[in-house]
Amino acid sequence: MLGPGRESSAEIGAALADRIVEAFGHLAAIREALWRRRPAVADAPVDVAKLSETLAGFVTAREWLEAERAERVTREACEKAT
């Protein structure tokens, strides 16, 4: 199980990681757990762009940021991560 303080040697596939991001990417603890597990993802690294898009959608839906600003922040984060 992913979560703060829980470590596992089990590998997860890219498809499962994508589903977790889609469902729970707005939760900081999930994002952090997936980021820490990047080497343990069997098929591919966690998709930073997908995480960023999920988070941008969340903050826009909550009206914490306007859509343009959320998109700009997302783009900048992806550029810094690569």
Side-chain angles (χ1 to χ4, degrees):
M1 171 174 250
L2 294 175
R6 293 190 173 119
E7 297 296 324
S8 172
S9 61
E11 292 185 351
I12 61 172
L16 178 57
D18 286 346
R19 289 182 67 193
I20 292 170
V21 167
E22 288 174 16
F24 304 107
H26 63 283
L27 301 173
I30 297 299
R31 291 191 309 273
E32 290 175 24
L34 286 171
W35 188 256
R36 282 193 308 268
R37 293 175 57 93
R38 282 183 307 152
V41 175
D43 301 328
V46 171
D47 189 346
V48 174
K50 185 170 256 181
L51 275 172
S52 297
E53 289 171 13
T54 301
L55 185 57
F58 176 71
V59 298
T60 301
R62 293 283 192 156
E63 297 181 352
W64 293 342
L65 291 177
E66 292 182 10
E68 294 103 22
R69 175 152 176 151
E71 289 173 17
R72 187 177 70 244
V73 170
T74 298
R75 186 174 49 255
E76 290 172 0
C78 289
E79 289 171 1
K80 287 180 182 180
T82 57

Coordinates of all heavy atoms in Angstrom, one line a residue:
M1 N 0.8 -1.2 0.0 CA 0.0 0.0 0.0 C 0.9 1.2 0.0 O 1.9 1.3 0.7 CB -0.9 0.0 1.2 CG -1.7 1.3 1.4 SD -2.8 1.1 2.8 CE -4.3 1.1 1.8
L2 N 0.5 2.2 -0.8 CA 1.2 3.5 -0.8 C 0.8 4.4 0.3 O -0.4 4.4 0.6 CB 1.0 4.2 -2.1 CG 1.6 3.5 -3.4 CD1 1.2 4.3 -4.6 CD2 3.1 3.4 -3.3
G3 N 1.7 5.1 0.9 CA 1.3 6.0 1.9 C 2.5 6.4 2.7 O 3.5 5.8 2.6
P4 N 2.3 7.5 3.5 CA 3.4 8.0 4.3 C 3.9 7.0 5.2 O 3.2 6.3 5.9 CB 2.8 9.2 5.0 CG 1.5 9.5 4.4 CD 1.1 8.2 3.7
G5 N 5.2 6.8 5.3 CA 5.8 5.9 6.2 C 5.7 4.4 5.8 O 6.2 3.5 6.5
R6 N 5.1 4.1 4.7 CA 4.9 2.7 4.3 C 5.9 2.4 3.2 O 5.8 3.1 2.1 CB 3.5 2.4 3.9 CG 2.6 2.5 5.1 CD 1.2 2.0 4.7 NE 0.4 1.9 5.8 CZ -0.8 2.6 5.9 NH1 -1.2 3.3 5.0 NH2 -1.5 2.5 7.0
E7 N 6.8 1.5 3.3 CA 7.7 1.2 2.3 C 7.4 -0.2 1.8 O 7.0 -1.1 2.6 CB 9.2 1.3 2.8 CG 9.6 2.6 3.2 CD 9.6 3.6 2.1 OE1 9.9 3.3 1.0 OE2 9.2 4.8 2.3
S8 N 7.6 -0.4 0.6 CA 7.3 -1.8 0.0 C 8.3 -2.0 -1.1 O 8.7 -1.1 -1.8 CB 5.9 -1.8 -0.6 OG 5.8 -3.1 -1.3
S9 N 8.8 -3.2 -1.2 CA 9.7 -3.6 -2.3 C 8.9 -4.0 -3.5 O 9.5 -4.3 -4.6 CB 10.6 -4.7 -1.8 OG 9.9 -5.8 -1.5
A10 N 7.6 -4.1 -3.4 CA 6.8 -4.6 -4.6 C 6.9 -3.5 -5.7 O 6.8 -2.3 -5.5 CB 5.4 -4.8 -4.2
E11 N 7.0 -4.0 -6.9 CA 7.0 -3.2 -8.1 C 5.5 -3.0 -8.6 O 4.7 -3.9 -8.5 CB 7.8 -3.8 -9.2 CG 9.3 -3.8 -8.9 CD 10.1 -4.3 -10.0 OE1 9.6 -4.8 -11.0 OE2 11.3 -4.2 -9.9
I12 N 5.3 -1.8 -9.1 CA 4.0 -1.5 -9.7 C 4.3 -1.2 -11.2 O 5.3 -0.6 -11.5 CB 3.2 -0.4 -9.0 CG1 3.9 0.9 -9.0 CG2 2.8 -0.8 -7.6 CD1 3.1 2.1 -8.5
G13 N 3.3 -1.6 -12.0 CA 3.5 -1.3 -13.5 C 3.1 0.1 -13.8 O 2.4 0.8 -13.0
A14 N 3.5 0.6 -15.0 CA 3.2 1.9 -15.4 C 1.7 2.1 -15.5 O 1.2 3.2 -15.2 CB 3.8 2.2 -16.8
A15 N 0.9 1.1 -16.0 CA -0.5 1.2 -16.1 C -1.2 1.5 -14.8 O -2.1 2.3 -14.6 CB -1.1 0.0 -16.8
L16 N -0.7 0.7 -13.7 CA -1.3 0.9 -12.4 C -0.9 2.3 -11.9 O -1.7 3.0 -11.3 CB -0.8 -0.2 -11.5 CG -1.2 -0.1 -10.0 CD1 -2.8 0.0 -9.9 CD2 -0.7 -1.2 -9.2
A17 N 0.3 2.7 -12.1 CA 0.8 4.0 -11.6 C -0.1 5.1 -12.3 O -0.5 6.0 -11.6 CB 2.2 4.2 -11.9
D18 N -0.4 5.0 -13.5 CA -1.3 5.9 -14.2 C -2.6 6.0 -13.6 O -3.2 7.0 -13.4 CB -1.4 5.6 -15.7 CG -0.1 5.9 -16.5 OD1 0.8 6.7 -16.0 OD2 0.0 5.5 -17.6
R19 N -3.2 4.8 -13.3 CA -4.5 4.8 -12.7 C -4.5 5.4 -11.3 O -5.5 6.1 -10.9 CB -5.0 3.3 -12.6 CG -5.4 2.8 -14.0 CD -5.9 1.4 -13.9 NE -7.2 1.4 -13.3 CZ -7.8 0.3 -12.8 NH1 -7.2 -0.9 -13.0 NH2 -8.9 0.3 -12.2
I20 N -3.5 5.2 -10.6 CA -3.4 5.8 -9.2 C -3.3 7.3 -9.4 O -4.0 8.1 -8.6 CB -2.1 5.3 -8.5 CG1 -2.3 3.8 -8.1 CG2 -1.8 6.1 -7.2 CD1 -1.1 3.1 -7.6
V21 N -2.5 7.8 -10.3 CA -2.4 9.2 -10.6 C -3.8 9.8 -11.0 O -4.2 10.9 -10.4 CB -1.3 9.5 -11.7 CG1 -1.4 11.0 -12.1 CG2 0.0 9.2 -11.1
E22 N -4.5 9.2 -11.9 CA -5.8 9.7 -12.3 C -6.8 9.8 -11.1 O -7.5 10.7 -11.0 CB -6.4 8.8 -13.4 CG -5.6 8.9 -14.7 CD -6.1 7.9 -15.7 OE1 -7.2 7.3 -15.6 OE2 -5.4 7.8 -16.7
A23 N -6.7 8.7 -10.3 CA -7.7 8.7 -9.2 C -7.3 9.5 -8.0 O -8.2 10.1 -7.3 CB -8.0 7.3 -8.8
F24 N -6.0 9.6 -7.6 CA -5.6 10.1 -6.4 C -4.4 11.1 -6.5 O -3.8 11.5 -5.5 CB -5.1 9.0 -5.4 CG -6.2 8.0 -5.2 CD1 -6.0 6.7 -5.8 CD2 -7.3 8.3 -4.4 CE1 -7.0 5.8 -5.6 CE2 -8.3 7.3 -4.2 CZ -8.1 6.0 -4.8
G25 N -4.2 11.6 -7.7 CA -3.0 12.5 -8.0 C -3.2 13.8 -7.3 O -2.2 14.6 -7.1
H26 N -4.4 14.2 -6.9 CA -4.6 15.5 -6.2 C -4.2 15.4 -4.7 O -4.1 16.4 -4.1 CB -6.1 15.9 -6.3 CG -7.0 14.9 -5.7 ND1 -7.4 13.7 -6.2 CD2 -7.6 15.0 -4.5 CE1 -8.2 13.1 -5.4 NE2 -8.4 13.8 -4.4
L27 N -3.9 14.2 -4.2 CA -3.5 14.1 -2.8 C -2.0 14.1 -2.7 O -1.3 13.3 -3.3 CB -4.0 12.7 -2.3 CG -5.5 12.6 -2.3 CD1 -5.9 11.1 -1.9 CD2 -6.2 13.6 -1.4
A28 N -1.5 15.0 -1.9 CA 0.0 15.2 -1.8 C 0.7 13.9 -1.3 O 1.8 13.6 -1.8 CB 0.3 16.3 -0.8
A29 N 0.1 13.2 -0.4 CA 0.8 12.0 0.1 C 0.9 10.9 -1.0 O 2.0 10.3 -1.0 CB -0.1 11.4 1.3
I30 N 0.0 10.9 -1.9 CA 0.1 9.9 -3.0 C 1.1 10.3 -4.0 O 1.9 9.5 -4.4 CB -1.3 9.7 -3.7 CG1 -2.4 9.2 -2.7 CG2 -1.2 8.9 -4.9 CD1 -2.0 7.8 -2.2
R31 N 1.1 11.6 -4.3 CA 2.2 12.1 -5.2 C 3.6 11.9 -4.7 O 4.5 11.4 -5.4 CB 2.0 13.6 -5.5 CG 0.8 14.0 -6.3 CD 0.8 15.4 -6.7 NE 1.0 16.4 -5.7 CZ 0.1 16.9 -4.9 NH1 -1.2 16.5 -5.0 NH2 0.4 17.8 -4.0
E32 N 3.8 12.1 -3.4 CA 5.1 11.9 -2.7 C 5.4 10.5 -2.7 O 6.6 10.1 -3.0 CB 5.1 12.5 -1.3 CG 5.0 14.0 -1.3 CD 4.9 14.5 0.1 OE1 5.3 13.8 1.1 OE2 4.4 15.6 0.3
A33 N 4.5 9.6 -2.4 CA 4.8 8.2 -2.4 C 5.1 7.7 -3.8 O 6.1 6.9 -3.9 CB 3.5 7.4 -1.9
L34 N 4.4 8.1 -4.8 CA 4.8 7.7 -6.2 C 6.1 8.2 -6.6 O 6.9 7.5 -7.2 CB 3.7 8.1 -7.2 CG 2.4 7.3 -7.1 CD1 1.4 8.0 -8.0 CD2 2.6 5.9 -7.6
W35 N 6.4 9.4 -6.2 CA 7.7 10.0 -6.6 C 8.9 9.3 -5.9 O 9.9 9.0 -6.5 CB 7.7 11.5 -6.1 CG 8.9 12.2 -6.6 CD1 10.0 12.6 -5.9 CD2 9.2 12.7 -8.0 NE1 10.9 13.2 -6.7 CE2 10.5 13.3 -8.0 CE3 8.5 12.6 -9.1 CZ2 11.0 13.8 -9.1 CZ3 9.0 13.1 -10.3 CH2 10.3 13.7 -10.3
R36 N 8.7 8.9 -4.7 CA 9.7 8.1 -4.0 C 9.9 6.7 -4.6 O 11.0 6.2 -4.6 CB 9.4 7.9 -2.5 CG 9.6 9.1 -1.6 CD 9.5 8.8 -0.1 NE 8.3 8.1 0.2 CZ 7.2 8.7 0.6 NH1 7.2 10.0 0.7 NH2 6.1 8.0 0.9
R37 N 8.9 6.2 -5.2 CA 8.9 4.8 -5.7 C 9.3 4.8 -7.2 O 9.3 3.7 -7.8 CB 7.5 4.2 -5.6 CG 7.1 3.9 -4.2 CD 5.7 3.4 -4.1 NE 5.6 2.2 -4.9 CZ 5.7 0.9 -4.4 NH1 6.0 0.8 -3.2 NH2 5.5 -0.1 -5.2
R38 N 9.7 5.9 -7.8 CA 10.0 5.9 -9.2 C 10.9 4.8 -9.6 O 10.6 4.1 -10.6 CB 10.6 7.3 -9.6 CG 9.6 8.3 -9.8 CD 10.2 9.6 -10.2 NE 11.4 9.9 -9.4 CZ 12.4 10.6 -9.7 NH1 12.5 11.1 -10.9 NH2 13.4 10.9 -8.9
P39 N 12.0 4.5 -9.0 CA 12.8 3.3 -9.4 C 12.1 2.0 -9.3 O 12.4 1.1 -10.1 CB 14.0 3.4 -8.5 CG 14.0 4.7 -7.9 CD 12.6 5.2 -7.9
A40 N 11.0 1.9 -8.5 CA 10.3 0.6 -8.3 C 9.2 0.4 -9.3 O 8.7 -0.7 -9.4 CB 9.8 0.5 -6.9
V41 N 8.9 1.4 -10.1 CA 7.9 1.3 -11.1 C 8.5 0.4 -12.2 O 9.5 0.8 -12.8 CB 7.4 2.6 -11.6 CG1 6.4 2.4 -12.8 CG2 6.7 3.4 -10.5
A42 N 7.9 -0.7 -12.5 CA 8.5 -1.7 -13.4 C 8.6 -1.2 -14.8 O 9.7 -1.4 -15.4 CB 7.7 -3.0 -13.3
D43 N 7.6 -0.7 -15.4 CA 7.6 -0.4 -16.8 C 8.1 1.0 -17.2 O 8.7 1.1 -18.3 CB 6.2 -0.6 -17.4 CG 5.6 -2.0 -17.2 OD1 6.4 -2.9 -17.1 OD2 4.4 -2.1 -17.0
A44 N 7.9 2.0 -16.4 CA 8.3 3.3 -16.8 C 8.3 4.2 -15.5 O 7.6 3.8 -14.5 CB 7.3 3.9 -17.8
P45 N 9.0 5.3 -15.6 CA 8.9 6.2 -14.4 C 7.6 6.9 -14.3 O 6.8 6.9 -15.3 CB 10.0 7.3 -14.8 CG 10.2 7.2 -16.2 CD 9.9 5.8 -16.6
V46 N 7.3 7.4 -13.1 CA 6.0 8.1 -12.9 C 6.0 9.3 -13.9 O 6.9 10.0 -14.0 CB 5.9 8.5 -11.4 CG1 4.7 9.4 -11.3 CG2 5.8 7.3 -10.5
D47 N 4.9 9.5 -14.5 CA 4.7 10.5 -15.5 C 4.5 11.9 -14.8 O 3.4 12.1 -14.3 CB 3.5 10.2 -16.4 CG 3.4 11.1 -17.6 OD1 4.1 12.2 -17.6 OD2 2.7 10.8 -18.5
V48 N 5.5 12.7 -14.7 CA 5.4 14.0 -14.0 C 4.4 14.9 -14.7 O 3.7 15.6 -14.0 CB 6.8 14.6 -14.0 CG1 6.7 16.0 -13.4 CG2 7.8 13.8 -13.2
A49 N 4.3 14.8 -16.0 CA 3.3 15.6 -16.7 C 1.9 15.3 -16.3 O 1.1 16.1 -16.1 CB 3.5 15.5 -18.2
K50 N 1.6 14.0 -16.2 CA 0.3 13.5 -15.8 C 0.0 13.9 -14.4 O -1.1 14.4 -14.1 CB 0.2 12.0 -15.9 CG -1.2 11.5 -15.7 CD -1.4 10.1 -16.1 CE -2.1 10.1 -17.4 NZ -2.4 8.8 -17.9
L51 N 0.9 13.8 -13.5 CA 0.7 14.3 -12.1 C 0.5 15.8 -12.1 O -0.4 16.2 -11.4 CB 2.0 14.0 -11.2 CG 2.1 12.6 -10.6 CD1 3.5 12.4 -10.0 CD2 1.0 12.4 -9.6
S52 N 1.2 16.5 -12.8 CA 1.1 18.0 -12.9 C -0.3 18.3 -13.4 O -1.0 19.2 -12.9 CB 2.2 18.6 -13.7 OG 3.4 18.4 -13.2
E53 N -0.7 17.7 -14.5 CA -2.1 18.0 -15.1 C -3.2 17.7 -14.1 O -4.1 18.4 -13.9 CB -2.3 17.2 -16.3 CG -1.4 17.7 -17.5 CD -1.5 16.7 -18.7 OE1 -2.4 15.8 -18.7 OE2 -0.7 16.9 -19.6
T54 N -3.0 16.6 -13.4 CA -4.1 16.2 -12.4 C -4.1 17.2 -11.3 O -5.2 17.7 -10.9 CB -3.7 14.8 -11.8 OG1 -3.7 13.9 -12.8 CG2 -4.8 14.4 -10.7
L55 N -3.0 17.7 -10.8 CA -2.9 18.7 -9.7 C -3.5 20.0 -10.2 O -4.2 20.7 -9.5 CB -1.5 18.8 -9.2 CG -1.3 19.8 -8.0 CD1 -2.2 19.3 -6.9 CD2 0.1 19.8 -7.6
A56 N -3.1 20.4 -11.5 CA -3.6 21.6 -12.0 C -5.1 21.6 -12.2 O -5.8 22.6 -11.8 CB -3.0 21.9 -13.4
G57 N -5.7 20.5 -12.6 CA -7.1 20.4 -12.7 C -7.8 20.5 -11.3 O -8.8 21.1 -11.1
F58 N -7.1 19.9 -10.3 CA -7.7 20.0 -8.9 C -7.7 21.4 -8.4 O -8.7 21.9 -7.9 CB -6.8 19.1 -8.0 CG -7.2 19.1 -6.6 CD1 -8.4 18.6 -6.1 CD2 -6.4 19.8 -5.6 CE1 -8.8 18.6 -4.8 CE2 -6.8 19.8 -4.3 CZ -7.9 19.2 -3.9
V59 N -6.6 22.1 -8.5 CA -6.5 23.5 -8.0 C -7.4 24.4 -8.8 O -8.0 25.4 -8.2 CB -5.1 24.1 -7.9 CG1 -4.2 23.2 -7.0 CG2 -4.4 24.2 -9.3
T60 N -7.6 24.2 -10.1 CA -8.5 25.0 -10.9 C -10.0 24.7 -10.5 O -10.8 25.6 -10.3 CB -8.4 24.7 -12.4 OG1 -7.0 24.9 -12.8 CG2 -9.3 25.5 -13.2
A61 N -10.3 23.4 -10.2 CA -11.7 23.1 -9.8 C -12.0 23.7 -8.4 O -13.1 24.1 -8.2 CB -11.8 21.5 -9.8
R62 N -11.0 23.8 -7.6 CA -11.2 24.4 -6.3 C -11.2 25.9 -6.3 O -11.4 26.6 -5.3 CB -10.1 23.9 -5.3 CG -10.1 22.5 -4.9 CD -11.2 22.3 -4.0 NE -11.1 20.9 -3.4 CZ -11.5 20.6 -2.2 NH1 -12.2 21.4 -1.5 NH2 -11.4 19.3 -1.8
E63 N -10.9 26.4 -7.5 CA -10.8 27.9 -7.7 C -9.7 28.5 -6.9 O -9.7 29.6 -6.4 CB -12.1 28.6 -7.5 CG -13.2 28.1 -8.5 CD -14.5 28.8 -8.3 OE1 -14.7 29.5 -7.3 OE2 -15.4 28.6 -9.1
W64 N -8.6 27.7 -6.7 CA -7.4 28.3 -6.0 C -6.5 29.0 -6.9 O -5.8 29.9 -6.5 CB -6.6 27.1 -5.3 CG -7.4 26.5 -4.2 CD1 -8.5 27.0 -3.5 CD2 -7.1 25.2 -3.6 NE1 -8.9 26.1 -2.5 CE2 -8.1 25.0 -2.5 CE3 -6.2 24.2 -3.8 CZ2 -8.1 23.9 -1.8 CZ3 -6.2 23.1 -3.0 CH2 -7.1 22.9 -2.0
L65 N -6.5 28.6 -8.2 CA -5.8 29.2 -9.3 C -6.7 29.3 -10.5 O -7.5 28.5 -10.7 CB -4.5 28.5 -9.7 CG -3.4 28.4 -8.7 CD1 -2.3 27.5 -9.2 CD2 -2.8 29.7 -8.4
E66 N -6.4 30.4 -11.3 CA -7.1 30.5 -12.6 C -6.5 29.4 -13.5 O -5.3 29.0 -13.4 CB -7.0 31.9 -13.2 CG -7.7 32.9 -12.3 CD -7.7 34.3 -12.9 OE1 -7.2 34.4 -14.1 OE2 -8.1 35.2 -12.3
A67 N -7.2 29.0 -14.5 CA -6.8 28.0 -15.5 C -5.4 28.3 -16.1 O -4.6 27.5 -16.2 CB -7.8 27.7 -16.5
E68 N -5.3 29.6 -16.6 CA -4.1 30.0 -17.3 C -2.9 29.8 -16.4 O -1.8 29.4 -16.8 CB -4.2 31.4 -17.8 CG -5.2 31.6 -18.9 CD -6.5 32.2 -18.4 OE1 -6.4 32.9 -17.4 OE2 -7.5 32.0 -19.1
R69 N -3.0 30.3 -15.1 CA -1.9 30.2 -14.2 C -1.6 28.8 -13.9 O -0.4 28.4 -13.8 CB -2.2 31.0 -12.9 CG -1.1 30.8 -11.9 CD -0.9 31.9 -11.0 NE 0.1 31.5 -10.1 CZ 0.9 32.3 -9.5 NH1 0.8 33.6 -9.7 NH2 1.8 31.8 -8.7
A70 N -2.6 28.0 -13.6 CA -2.3 26.5 -13.3 C -1.6 25.9 -14.5 O -0.7 25.1 -14.3 CB -3.7 25.8 -13.1
E71 N -2.0 26.2 -15.7 CA -1.3 25.6 -16.9 C 0.1 26.1 -17.0 O 1.1 25.3 -17.3 CB -2.0 26.0 -18.2 CG -3.4 25.3 -18.3 CD -4.2 25.8 -19.5 OE1 -3.6 26.5 -20.4 OE2 -5.4 25.6 -19.6
R72 N 0.4 27.4 -16.7 CA 1.7 27.9 -16.7 C 2.6 27.2 -15.6 O 3.7 26.8 -15.9 CB 1.7 29.4 -16.5 CG 3.1 30.0 -16.7 CD 3.1 31.5 -16.6 NE 2.9 32.0 -15.3 CZ 1.8 32.7 -14.9 NH1 0.9 33.0 -15.7 NH2 1.7 33.0 -13.6
V73 N 2.1 27.1 -14.4 CA 2.8 26.5 -13.3 C 3.1 25.0 -13.7 O 4.2 24.5 -13.4 CB 2.0 26.6 -12.0 CG1 2.7 25.7 -10.9 CG2 2.0 28.0 -11.6
T74 N 2.1 24.3 -14.3 CA 2.3 22.9 -14.7 C 3.4 22.8 -15.7 O 4.3 22.0 -15.6 CB 1.0 22.4 -15.3 OG1 0.0 22.4 -14.3 CG2 1.2 21.0 -15.8
R75 N 3.4 23.7 -16.7 CA 4.4 23.6 -17.8 C 5.8 23.9 -17.2 O 6.8 23.2 -17.5 CB 4.1 24.7 -18.8 CG 5.0 24.7 -20.0 CD 4.5 25.6 -21.1 NE 4.2 27.0 -20.6 CZ 3.0 27.5 -20.5 NH1 2.0 26.8 -20.8 NH2 2.9 28.7 -20.1
E76 N 5.9 24.9 -16.3 CA 7.2 25.2 -15.7 C 7.7 24.0 -14.8 O 8.9 23.7 -14.8 CB 7.1 26.5 -14.8 CG 6.9 27.7 -15.7 CD 6.6 28.9 -14.8 OE1 6.5 28.8 -13.6 OE2 6.4 30.0 -15.4
A77 N 6.8 23.4 -14.1 CA 7.2 22.2 -13.2 C 7.7 21.1 -14.1 O 8.7 20.4 -13.8 CB 6.0 21.8 -12.4
C78 N 7.1 20.8 -15.2 CA 7.5 19.8 -16.1 C 8.9 20.1 -16.7 O 9.7 19.2 -16.9 CB 6.5 19.5 -17.2 SG 4.9 18.8 -16.6
E79 N 9.1 21.3 -17.1 CA 10.4 21.7 -17.6 C 11.5 21.6 -16.6 O 12.6 21.1 -16.9 CB 10.3 23.2 -18.1 CG 9.5 23.4 -19.3 CD 9.2 24.8 -19.7 OE1 9.8 25.7 -19.0 OE2 8.5 25.1 -20.7
K80 N 11.2 21.9 -15.4 CA 12.2 21.8 -14.3 C 12.5 20.3 -14.0 O 13.6 19.9 -13.6 CB 11.8 22.5 -13.0 CG 11.9 24.0 -13.1 CD 11.4 24.6 -11.9 CE 11.5 26.1 -12.0 NZ 11.1 26.8 -10.7
A81 N 11.5 19.4 -14.1 CA 11.6 18.0 -13.8 C 12.4 17.2 -14.9 O 12.9 16.2 -14.6 CB 10.3 17.4 -13.6
T82 N 12.5 17.8 -16.1 CA 13.2 17.1 -17.1 C 14.6 17.6 -17.4 O 15.1 18.6 -16.9 CB 12.4 17.1 -18.4 OG1 12.2 18.5 -18.8 CG2 11.1 16.3 -18.3

